[in-house]
Amino acid sequence: MQNINTPCLFIAHGSPMNAIGKTDFSIKLNEIGNSLKNKINAIVCFSAHWRTEGLFISGANSLKTIYDFSGFPNELSNIVYTPQGSPGLAKRLKAELKDFSPILDDNRGIDHGAWSILIHLFPLADIPVVLISQNLDFKLTQHYEIGKILKPLRDENILFIGSGNIVHSFFSFSPDISAPTPDWAIFFDEKIKNALENKDHNTILRYRRLFGKSAKLAVPTEEHFIPLLYIIGLESESDQIEFFYDKFQNSSMSMRSFILRQLAQRN
């Protein structure tokens, strides 16, 4: 099936506990997955939880489940999500990103930043997955540039997913999933939302300079924010943005998630 400009997703993964149970968030992810599953051949995921010195691409035939967390119920560690990889696509990505000297990692599995959302999107784990790491030495503009370079692959039935959080902060964290959200977190989330609606990528790339203290509180470390940069780099002029989830969890975790797609693809 020929697809024109396959949609791409930014999904907030928040706590690993979001992988467990049926919630309004998991139900929405399942609906999105069902609308896409017959239109894509492979998934490329940018997770907040694969950070490396250098740029790496997963090249394994099968991705083992990585349990990169501690202190959570055994139910979470009993989850097994082992999709096939795609060594052919991994090699293609390596060629496309040759200017960044990427390295294929044939042993890398799938971390919870990826599987905790994919288990709701595509519970059968029947779509091949390739992960691309975050190079610790990159500037924000270089992460963004990777998205721009890979944009043509959206015409080849490849679904790109960024898994992170616009606001991911422990300055106001609460174990109560419905705890009140501080004003600085709401302010920052709204500013980024407005920039996304206006395709104002420059504001997103300059967020620290533009939003001062709220940015420092909302994004104390950048690993969860960076997946957003790949997705806006992949954005085409004809894309429309749809925020399909916009709540906060645990006080200061923005679960704002969205899909980019052309209007003709909504039905």
Side-chain angles (χ1 to χ4, degrees):
M1 176 180 177
Q2 181 63 36
N3 216 22
I4 298 174
N5 218 0
T6 306
C8 53
L9 296 165
F10 175 79
I11 299 178
H13 65 253
S15 165
M17 293 297 291
N18 283 309
I20 298 174
K22 193 172 184 179
T23 64
D24 56 346
F25 178 65
S26 69
I27 290 170
K28 194 61 187 179
L29 291 187
N30 188 249
E31 290 174 356
I32 294 288
N34 283 335
S35 73
L36 297 174
K37 64 183 180 181
N38 296 322
K39 304 174 184 178
I40 58 175
N41 297 327
I43 298 163
V44 175
C45 188
F46 303 97
S47 168
H49 293 282
W50 191 16
R51 308 193 78 206
T52 54
E53 293 183 358
L55 181 64
F56 287 79
I57 301 169
S58 67
N61 284 304
S62 181
L63 305 184
K64 296 179 180 179
T65 314
I66 300 174
Y67 306 100
D68 48 342
F69 47 76
S70 60
F72 290 94
N74 290 336
E75 183 182 1
L76 198 59
S77 298
N78 290 334
I79 291 175
V80 176
Y81 192 88
T82 53
Q84 292 299 303
S86 178
L89 176 57
K91 290 176 182 177
R92 171 81 185 281
L93 293 167
K94 180 181 179 181
E96 295 290 339
L97 298 173
K98 62 184 184 299
D99 291 344
F100 296 103
S101 302
I103 299 168
L104 294 182
D105 186 338
D106 294 334
N107 297 309
R108 175 70 183 183
I110 182 167
D111 61 71
H112 84 271
W115 63 253
S116 68
I117 59 171
L118 290 175
I119 200 168
H120 298 307
L121 287 165
F122 308 109
L124 298 179
D126 54 354
I127 302 172
V129 178
V130 175
L131 290 93
I132 300 180
S133 75
Q134 288 184 24
N135 187 337
L136 288 162
D137 297 323
F138 276 0
K139 298 177 181 178
L140 296 185
T141 51
Q142 291 174 294
H143 297 290
Y144 176 67
E145 183 64 24
I146 283 179
K148 292 178 75 68
I149 290 170
L150 297 179
K151 189 187 300 185
L153 275 68
R154 288 184 61 192
D155 289 334
E156 300 181 23
N157 296 349
I158 296 171
L159 176 67
F160 288 91
I161 302 176
S163 176
N165 295 88
I166 290 173
V167 179
H168 186 279
S169 178
F170 289 98
F171 283 116
S172 181
F173 180 82
S174 170
D176 178 1
I177 195 170
S178 59
T181 300
D183 290 344
W184 52 262
I186 296 171
F187 172 85
F188 185 80
D189 184 66
E190 284 292 326
K191 288 294 185 183
I192 298 301
K193 175 194 174 185
N194 292 341
L196 288 166
E197 289 175 329
N198 293 314
K199 291 187 169 65
D200 184 1
H201 297 177
N202 191 46
T203 287
I204 296 171
L205 290 166
R206 297 173 61 236
Y207 77 95
R208 285 206 182 276
R209 280 172 282 174
L210 294 175
F211 304 129
K213 184 178 179 180
S214 69
K216 291 179 182 179
L217 292 170
V219 190
T221 58
E222 291 186 318
E223 70 276 1
H224 283 81
F225 192 79
I226 285 171
L228 177 67
L229 305 183
Y230 300 112
I231 300 305
I232 63 173
L234 286 153
E235 186 173 24
S236 68
E237 199 59 40
S238 58
D239 278 330
Q240 300 291 318
I241 190 167
E242 175 190 338
F243 298 102
F244 59 83
Y245 201 83
D246 62 1
K247 297 179 181 179
F248 274 81
Q249 291 181 351
N250 305 105
S251 179
S252 56
M253 299 290 173
S254 169
M255 297 300 290
R256 183 176 297 282
S257 303
F258 62 83
I259 184 168
L260 296 175
R261 57 186 168 188
Q262 296 178 6
L263 277 172
Q265 297 169 333
R266 290 179 180 269
N267 297 323

PDB file of all heavy atoms in Angstrom, residues 134-158:
ATOM      1  N   GLN A 134      20.464   9.028  21.411  1.00  0.00           N
ATOM      2  CA  GLN A 134      20.785  10.447  21.571  1.00  0.00           C
ATOM      3  C   GLN A 134      22.293  10.574  21.776  1.00  0.00           C
ATOM      4  O   GLN A 134      22.833  10.029  22.745  1.00  0.00           O
ATOM      5  CB  GLN A 134      20.100  11.047  22.793  1.00  0.00           C
ATOM      6  CG  GLN A 134      18.624  11.248  22.707  1.00  0.00           C
ATOM      7  CD  GLN A 134      18.095  11.937  23.971  1.00  0.00           C
ATOM      8  OE1 GLN A 134      18.816  12.630  24.668  1.00  0.00           O
ATOM      9  NE2 GLN A 134      16.818  11.717  24.249  1.00  0.00           N
ATOM     10  N   ASN A 135      22.948  11.280  20.900  1.00  0.00           N
ATOM     11  CA  ASN A 135      24.376  11.544  21.073  1.00  0.00           C
ATOM     12  C   ASN A 135      24.552  12.626  22.141  1.00  0.00           C
ATOM     13  O   ASN A 135      24.080  13.756  21.981  1.00  0.00           O
ATOM     14  CB  ASN A 135      24.988  11.991  19.742  1.00  0.00           C
ATOM     15  CG  ASN A 135      26.498  12.109  19.796  1.00  0.00           C
ATOM     16  OD1 ASN A 135      27.088  12.274  20.866  1.00  0.00           O
ATOM     17  ND2 ASN A 135      27.136  12.028  18.650  1.00  0.00           N
ATOM     18  N   LEU A 136      25.238  12.291  23.205  1.00  0.00           N
ATOM     19  CA  LEU A 136      25.426  13.220  24.316  1.00  0.00           C
ATOM     20  C   LEU A 136      26.188  14.480  23.913  1.00  0.00           C
ATOM     21  O   LEU A 136      26.100  15.509  24.593  1.00  0.00           O
ATOM     22  CB  LEU A 136      26.176  12.517  25.452  1.00  0.00           C
ATOM     23  CG  LEU A 136      25.382  11.458  26.229  1.00  0.00           C
ATOM     24  CD1 LEU A 136      26.325  10.548  27.000  1.00  0.00           C
ATOM     25  CD2 LEU A 136      24.401  12.124  27.172  1.00  0.00           C
ATOM     26  N   ASP A 137      26.937  14.399  22.829  1.00  0.00           N
ATOM     27  CA  ASP A 137      27.761  15.536  22.407  1.00  0.00           C
ATOM     28  C   ASP A 137      27.047  16.474  21.439  1.00  0.00           C
ATOM     29  O   ASP A 137      27.602  17.502  21.065  1.00  0.00           O
ATOM     30  CB  ASP A 137      29.063  15.032  21.751  1.00  0.00           C
ATOM     31  CG  ASP A 137      29.929  14.258  22.719  1.00  0.00           C
ATOM     32  OD1 ASP A 137      29.971  14.651  23.904  1.00  0.00           O
ATOM     33  OD2 ASP A 137      30.549  13.265  22.309  1.00  0.00           O
ATOM     34  N   PHE A 138      25.842  16.120  21.034  1.00  0.00           N
ATOM     35  CA  PHE A 138      25.123  16.938  20.051  1.00  0.00           C
ATOM     36  C   PHE A 138      24.568  18.217  20.673  1.00  0.00           C
ATOM     37  O   PHE A 138      24.135  18.232  21.825  1.00  0.00           O
ATOM     38  CB  PHE A 138      23.950  16.162  19.458  1.00  0.00           C
ATOM     39  CG  PHE A 138      24.301  15.257  18.320  1.00  0.00           C
ATOM     40  CD1 PHE A 138      25.605  15.132  17.853  1.00  0.00           C
ATOM     41  CD2 PHE A 138      23.311  14.518  17.683  1.00  0.00           C
ATOM     42  CE1 PHE A 138      25.916  14.287  16.805  1.00  0.00           C
ATOM     43  CE2 PHE A 138      23.602  13.673  16.632  1.00  0.00           C
ATOM     44  CZ  PHE A 138      24.907  13.562  16.191  1.00  0.00           C
ATOM     45  N   LYS A 139      24.530  19.260  19.858  1.00  0.00           N
ATOM     46  CA  LYS A 139      23.756  20.448  20.179  1.00  0.00           C
ATOM     47  C   LYS A 139      22.288  20.160  19.818  1.00  0.00           C
ATOM     48  O   LYS A 139      21.997  19.245  19.043  1.00  0.00           O
ATOM     49  CB  LYS A 139      24.264  21.654  19.386  1.00  0.00           C
ATOM     50  CG  LYS A 139      25.700  22.030  19.694  1.00  0.00           C
ATOM     51  CD  LYS A 139      26.143  23.188  18.815  1.00  0.00           C
ATOM     52  CE  LYS A 139      27.588  23.565  19.101  1.00  0.00           C
ATOM     53  NZ  LYS A 139      28.060  24.663  18.218  1.00  0.00           N
ATOM     54  N   LEU A 140      21.374  20.968  20.352  1.00  0.00           N
ATOM     55  CA  LEU A 140      19.961  20.760  20.052  1.00  0.00           C
ATOM     56  C   LEU A 140      19.698  20.815  18.554  1.00  0.00           C
ATOM     57  O   LEU A 140      18.878  20.057  18.026  1.00  0.00           O
ATOM     58  CB  LEU A 140      19.105  21.799  20.775  1.00  0.00           C
ATOM     59  CG  LEU A 140      19.114  21.758  22.300  1.00  0.00           C
ATOM     60  CD1 LEU A 140      18.110  22.765  22.851  1.00  0.00           C
ATOM     61  CD2 LEU A 140      18.816  20.367  22.840  1.00  0.00           C
ATOM     62  N   THR A 141      20.392  21.691  17.863  1.00  0.00           N
ATOM     63  CA  THR A 141      20.182  21.827  16.418  1.00  0.00           C
ATOM     64  C   THR A 141      20.597  20.573  15.662  1.00  0.00           C
ATOM     65  O   THR A 141      20.049  20.288  14.587  1.00  0.00           O
ATOM     66  CB  THR A 141      20.951  23.034  15.875  1.00  0.00           C
ATOM     67  OG1 THR A 141      22.318  22.966  16.300  1.00  0.00           O
ATOM     68  CG2 THR A 141      20.335  24.341  16.350  1.00  0.00           C
ATOM     69  N   GLN A 142      21.535  19.807  16.193  1.00  0.00           N
ATOM     70  CA  GLN A 142      21.954  18.577  15.513  1.00  0.00           C
ATOM     71  C   GLN A 142      20.911  17.478  15.656  1.00  0.00           C
ATOM     72  O   GLN A 142      20.689  16.707  14.709  1.00  0.00           O
ATOM     73  CB  GLN A 142      23.315  18.128  16.058  1.00  0.00           C
ATOM     74  CG  GLN A 142      24.458  19.048  15.662  1.00  0.00           C
ATOM     75  CD  GLN A 142      25.763  18.673  16.327  1.00  0.00           C
ATOM     76  OE1 GLN A 142      25.902  18.772  17.550  1.00  0.00           O
ATOM     77  NE2 GLN A 142      26.717  18.210  15.535  1.00  0.00           N
ATOM     78  N   HIS A 143      20.276  17.376  16.816  1.00  0.00           N
ATOM     79  CA  HIS A 143      19.164  16.431  16.957  1.00  0.00           C
ATOM     80  C   HIS A 143      18.047  16.791  15.968  1.00  0.00           C
ATOM     81  O   HIS A 143      17.486  15.921  15.294  1.00  0.00           O
ATOM     82  CB  HIS A 143      18.613  16.472  18.385  1.00  0.00           C
ATOM     83  CG  HIS A 143      19.589  16.039  19.432  1.00  0.00           C
ATOM     84  ND1 HIS A 143      20.011  14.741  19.578  1.00  0.00           N
ATOM     85  CD2 HIS A 143      20.215  16.753  20.401  1.00  0.00           C
ATOM     86  CE1 HIS A 143      20.854  14.664  20.593  1.00  0.00           C
ATOM     87  NE2 HIS A 143      21.000  15.871  21.112  1.00  0.00           N
ATOM     88  N   TYR A 144      17.751  18.059  15.891  1.00  0.00           N
ATOM     89  CA  TYR A 144      16.734  18.565  14.963  1.00  0.00           C
ATOM     90  C   TYR A 144      17.106  18.242  13.516  1.00  0.00           C
ATOM     91  O   TYR A 144      16.256  17.826  12.716  1.00  0.00           O
ATOM     92  CB  TYR A 144      16.610  20.071  15.171  1.00  0.00           C
ATOM     93  CG  TYR A 144      15.676  20.818  14.250  1.00  0.00           C
ATOM     94  CD1 TYR A 144      14.303  20.619  14.301  1.00  0.00           C
ATOM     95  CD2 TYR A 144      16.176  21.772  13.356  1.00  0.00           C
ATOM     96  CE1 TYR A 144      13.443  21.332  13.474  1.00  0.00           C
ATOM     97  CE2 TYR A 144      15.325  22.491  12.536  1.00  0.00           C
ATOM     98  CZ  TYR A 144      13.964  22.270  12.589  1.00  0.00           C
ATOM     99  OH  TYR A 144      13.127  22.975  11.774  1.00  0.00           O
ATOM    100  N   GLU A 145      18.376  18.392  13.173  1.00  0.00           N
ATOM    101  CA  GLU A 145      18.837  18.144  11.808  1.00  0.00           C
ATOM    102  C   GLU A 145      18.673  16.678  11.424  1.00  0.00           C
ATOM    103  O   GLU A 145      18.364  16.359  10.266  1.00  0.00           O
ATOM    104  CB  GLU A 145      20.304  18.561  11.672  1.00  0.00           C
ATOM    105  CG  GLU A 145      20.880  18.423  10.277  1.00  0.00           C
ATOM    106  CD  GLU A 145      20.196  19.331   9.256  1.00  0.00           C
ATOM    107  OE1 GLU A 145      19.612  20.367   9.648  1.00  0.00           O
ATOM    108  OE2 GLU A 145      20.252  18.987   8.054  1.00  0.00           O
ATOM    109  N   ILE A 146      18.839  15.769  12.375  1.00  0.00           N
ATOM    110  CA  ILE A 146      18.626  14.347  12.087  1.00  0.00           C
ATOM    111  C   ILE A 146      17.203  14.115  11.609  1.00  0.00           C
ATOM    112  O   ILE A 146      16.947  13.383  10.640  1.00  0.00           O
ATOM    113  CB  ILE A 146      18.955  13.489  13.323  1.00  0.00           C
ATOM    114  CG1 ILE A 146      20.480  13.362  13.453  1.00  0.00           C
ATOM    115  CG2 ILE A 146      18.313  12.104  13.234  1.00  0.00           C
ATOM    116  CD1 ILE A 146      20.933  12.568  14.649  1.00  0.00           C
ATOM    117  N   GLY A 147      16.240  14.741  12.271  1.00  0.00           N
ATOM    118  CA  GLY A 147      14.856  14.625  11.825  1.00  0.00           C
ATOM    119  C   GLY A 147      14.675  15.136  10.410  1.00  0.00           C
ATOM    120  O   GLY A 147      14.003  14.496   9.589  1.00  0.00           O
ATOM    121  N   LYS A 148      15.267  16.263  10.102  1.00  0.00           N
ATOM    122  CA  LYS A 148      15.135  16.847   8.760  1.00  0.00           C
ATOM    123  C   LYS A 148      15.737  15.929   7.694  1.00  0.00           C
ATOM    124  O   LYS A 148      15.174  15.769   6.604  1.00  0.00           O
ATOM    125  CB  LYS A 148      15.798  18.225   8.724  1.00  0.00           C
ATOM    126  CG  LYS A 148      15.082  19.275   9.561  1.00  0.00           C
ATOM    127  CD  LYS A 148      15.797  20.609   9.548  1.00  0.00           C
ATOM    128  CE  LYS A 148      15.611  21.352   8.236  1.00  0.00           C
ATOM    129  NZ  LYS A 148      14.213  21.794   8.045  1.00  0.00           N
ATOM    130  N   ILE A 149      16.872  15.325   8.001  1.00  0.00           N
ATOM    131  CA  ILE A 149      17.519  14.422   7.046  1.00  0.00           C
ATOM    132  C   ILE A 149      16.650  13.200   6.768  1.00  0.00           C
ATOM    133  O   ILE A 149      16.565  12.722   5.624  1.00  0.00           O
ATOM    134  CB  ILE A 149      18.905  13.995   7.581  1.00  0.00           C
ATOM    135  CG1 ILE A 149      19.878  15.179   7.562  1.00  0.00           C
ATOM    136  CG2 ILE A 149      19.468  12.835   6.764  1.00  0.00           C
ATOM    137  CD1 ILE A 149      21.181  14.916   8.301  1.00  0.00           C
ATOM    138  N   LEU A 150      15.987  12.697   7.804  1.00  0.00           N
ATOM    139  CA  LEU A 150      15.212  11.464   7.656  1.00  0.00           C
ATOM    140  C   LEU A 150      13.794  11.690   7.144  1.00  0.00           C
ATOM    141  O   LEU A 150      13.069  10.730   6.884  1.00  0.00           O
ATOM    142  CB  LEU A 150      15.160  10.726   9.004  1.00  0.00           C
ATOM    143  CG  LEU A 150      16.520  10.243   9.551  1.00  0.00           C
ATOM    144  CD1 LEU A 150      16.318   9.549  10.888  1.00  0.00           C
ATOM    145  CD2 LEU A 150      17.205   9.312   8.562  1.00  0.00           C
ATOM    146  N   LYS A 151      13.408  12.931   6.959  1.00  0.00           N
ATOM    147  CA  LYS A 151      12.035  13.246   6.553  1.00  0.00           C
ATOM    148  C   LYS A 151      11.575  12.495   5.295  1.00  0.00           C
ATOM    149  O   LYS A 151      10.418  12.019   5.246  1.00  0.00           O
ATOM    150  CB  LYS A 151      11.886  14.755   6.340  1.00  0.00           C
ATOM    151  CG  LYS A 151      10.453  15.203   6.117  1.00  0.00           C
ATOM    152  CD  LYS A 151      10.359  16.676   5.749  1.00  0.00           C
ATOM    153  CE  LYS A 151      10.927  17.576   6.805  1.00  0.00           C
ATOM    154  NZ  LYS A 151      10.726  19.015   6.480  1.00  0.00           N
ATOM    155  N   PRO A 152      12.399  12.335   4.259  1.00  0.00           N
ATOM    156  CA  PRO A 152      11.929  11.609   3.066  1.00  0.00           C
ATOM    157  C   PRO A 152      11.480  10.183   3.345  1.00  0.00           C
ATOM    158  O   PRO A 152      10.658   9.628   2.606  1.00  0.00           O
ATOM    159  CB  PRO A 152      13.142  11.639   2.137  1.00  0.00           C
ATOM    160  CG  PRO A 152      13.907  12.860   2.547  1.00  0.00           C
ATOM    161  CD  PRO A 152      13.736  12.919   4.035  1.00  0.00           C
ATOM    162  N   LEU A 153      11.976   9.565   4.411  1.00  0.00           N
ATOM    163  CA  LEU A 153      11.583   8.194   4.727  1.00  0.00           C
ATOM    164  C   LEU A 153      10.130   8.093   5.184  1.00  0.00           C
ATOM    165  O   LEU A 153       9.558   7.000   5.229  1.00  0.00           O
ATOM    166  CB  LEU A 153      12.505   7.595   5.793  1.00  0.00           C
ATOM    167  CG  LEU A 153      13.799   6.962   5.274  1.00  0.00           C
ATOM    168  CD1 LEU A 153      14.736   8.028   4.715  1.00  0.00           C
ATOM    169  CD2 LEU A 153      14.503   6.161   6.355  1.00  0.00           C
ATOM    170  N   ARG A 154       9.519   9.218   5.508  1.00  0.00           N
ATOM    171  CA  ARG A 154       8.100   9.201   5.860  1.00  0.00           C
ATOM    172  C   ARG A 154       7.241   8.794   4.662  1.00  0.00           C
ATOM    173  O   ARG A 154       6.092   8.384   4.840  1.00  0.00           O
ATOM    174  CB  ARG A 154       7.654  10.568   6.368  1.00  0.00           C
ATOM    175  CG  ARG A 154       8.182  10.937   7.752  1.00  0.00           C
ATOM    176  CD  ARG A 154       7.623  12.261   8.225  1.00  0.00           C
ATOM    177  NE  ARG A 154       6.174  12.228   8.336  1.00  0.00           N
ATOM    178  CZ  ARG A 154       5.416  13.308   8.510  1.00  0.00           C
ATOM    179  NH1 ARG A 154       5.980  14.515   8.588  1.00  0.00           N
ATOM    180  NH2 ARG A 154       4.111  13.204   8.608  1.00  0.00           N
ATOM    181  N   ASP A 155       7.775   8.893   3.466  1.00  0.00           N
ATOM    182  CA  ASP A 155       7.041   8.474   2.274  1.00  0.00           C
ATOM    183  C   ASP A 155       7.195   6.984   1.989  1.00  0.00           C
ATOM    184  O   ASP A 155       6.748   6.500   0.950  1.00  0.00           O
ATOM    185  CB  ASP A 155       7.515   9.273   1.056  1.00  0.00           C
ATOM    186  CG  ASP A 155       7.060  10.723   1.106  1.00  0.00           C
ATOM    187  OD1 ASP A 155       6.038  10.998   1.756  1.00  0.00           O
ATOM    188  OD2 ASP A 155       7.725  11.570   0.493  1.00  0.00           O
ATOM    189  N   GLU A 156       7.842   6.264   2.909  1.00  0.00           N
ATOM    190  CA  GLU A 156       8.112   4.841   2.700  1.00  0.00           C
ATOM    191  C   GLU A 156       7.460   3.971   3.775  1.00  0.00           C
ATOM    192  O   GLU A 156       7.971   2.912   4.131  1.00  0.00           O
ATOM    193  CB  GLU A 156       9.624   4.610   2.651  1.00  0.00           C
ATOM    194  CG  GLU A 156      10.314   5.378   1.515  1.00  0.00           C
ATOM    195  CD  GLU A 156      11.803   5.131   1.445  1.00  0.00           C
ATOM    196  OE1 GLU A 156      12.257   4.074   1.944  1.00  0.00           O
ATOM    197  OE2 GLU A 156      12.518   5.985   0.890  1.00  0.00           O
ATOM    198  N   ASN A 157       6.324   4.424   4.280  1.00  0.00           N
ATOM    199  CA  ASN A 157       5.560   3.657   5.275  1.00  0.00           C
ATOM    200  C   ASN A 157       6.359   3.358   6.537  1.00  0.00           C
ATOM    201  O   ASN A 157       6.211   2.297   7.149  1.00  0.00           O
ATOM    202  CB  ASN A 157       5.033   2.355   4.664  1.00  0.00           C
ATOM    203  CG  ASN A 157       4.035   2.599   3.553  1.00  0.00           C
ATOM    204  OD1 ASN A 157       3.571   3.719   3.349  1.00  0.00           O
ATOM    205  ND2 ASN A 157       3.708   1.557   2.809  1.00  0.00           N
ATOM    206  N   ILE A 158       7.200   4.314   6.932  1.00  0.00           N
ATOM    207  CA  ILE A 158       7.959   4.204   8.172  1.00  0.00           C
ATOM    208  C   ILE A 158       7.382   5.196   9.181  1.00  0.00           C
ATOM    209  O   ILE A 158       7.235   6.381   8.881  1.00  0.00           O
ATOM    210  CB  ILE A 158       9.457   4.483   7.935  1.00  0.00           C
ATOM    211  CG1 ILE A 158      10.042   3.410   7.012  1.00  0.00           C
ATOM    212  CG2 ILE A 158      10.220   4.517   9.267  1.00  0.00           C
ATOM    213  CD1 ILE A 158      11.447   3.702   6.553  1.00  0.00           C
TER     214      ILE A 158
END
